């Protein structure tokens, strides 16, 4: 397995890239571009899954008995991943709401 701090950096970077996609998706939502928002949220989801998989590699290694040094950076990476995953979930919940509001506006 790679060094725990290298994995932590990977988790932070993938999560951060996911956040950028979420922000872009929310901007697209604000403009009413639902297709673009949906595509960007899918990209964000893929990045969050990659970050989660890297985190899981560390957890599974520890469960398997591998000794690892304590890493404040890894804890920060986990916190970052959880926060961005929550942002992704909330952005995904907004998509159908905005769709409904736009349909209502067009029907007026």
């Amino acid at each position: 397995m790679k060094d725990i701090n290298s994995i932590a950096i990977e988790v932070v970077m993938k999560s951060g890239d996911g956040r950028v996609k979420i922000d872009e998706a929310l901007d697209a939502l604000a403009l009413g571009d639902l297709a673009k928002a949906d595509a960007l949220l899918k990209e964000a989801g893929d990045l969050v899954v990659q970050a989660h998989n890297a985190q899981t590699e560390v957890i599974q290694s520890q469960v398997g008995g591998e000794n690892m040094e304590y890493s404040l950076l890894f804890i920060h990476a986990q916190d970052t991943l959880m926060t961005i995953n929550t942002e992704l979930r909330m952005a995904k919940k907004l998509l159908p709401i905005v769709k409904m509001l736009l349909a209502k506006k067009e029907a007026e």
Side-chain angles (χ1 to χ4, degrees):
M1 188 180 81
K2 293 186 280 187
D3 171 63
I4 191 167
N5 288 323
S6 297
I7 294 171
I9 292 294
E10 180 182 351
V11 171
V12 170
M13 295 298 292
K14 295 288 184 183
S15 298
D17 290 346
R19 177 176 271 162
V20 168
K21 296 296 180 184
I22 294 165
D23 287 344
E24 291 173 1
L26 291 172
D27 289 342
L29 268 180
L31 297 173
D33 191 344
L34 301 178
K36 183 176 182 181
D38 189 48
L40 287 163
L41 289 175
K42 282 187 174 82
E43 288 181 51
D46 290 343
L47 290 161
V48 167
V49 166
Q50 290 172 34
H52 182 266
N53 289 343
Q55 170 194 250
T56 300
E57 178 185 342
V58 171
I59 294 169
Q60 287 176 337
S61 292
Q62 283 187 319
V63 168
E66 186 174 331
N67 281 336
M68 298 200 183
E69 64 184 271
Y70 174 81
S71 170
L72 186 58
L73 183 60
F74 185 72
I75 292 169
H76 168 68
Q78 288 180 297
D79 182 50
T80 300
L81 174 58
M82 288 187 315
T83 300
I84 294 170
N85 189 52
T86 300
E87 291 175 9
L88 177 61
R89 292 184 67 226
M90 293 307 298
K92 285 180 175 181
K93 297 269 185 196
L94 283 174
L95 192 62
I97 294 168
V98 171
K99 184 177 183 177
M100 182 264 312
L101 291 172
L102 287 173
K104 198 177 224 185
K105 184 177 178 182
E106 289 174 6
E108 293 176 349

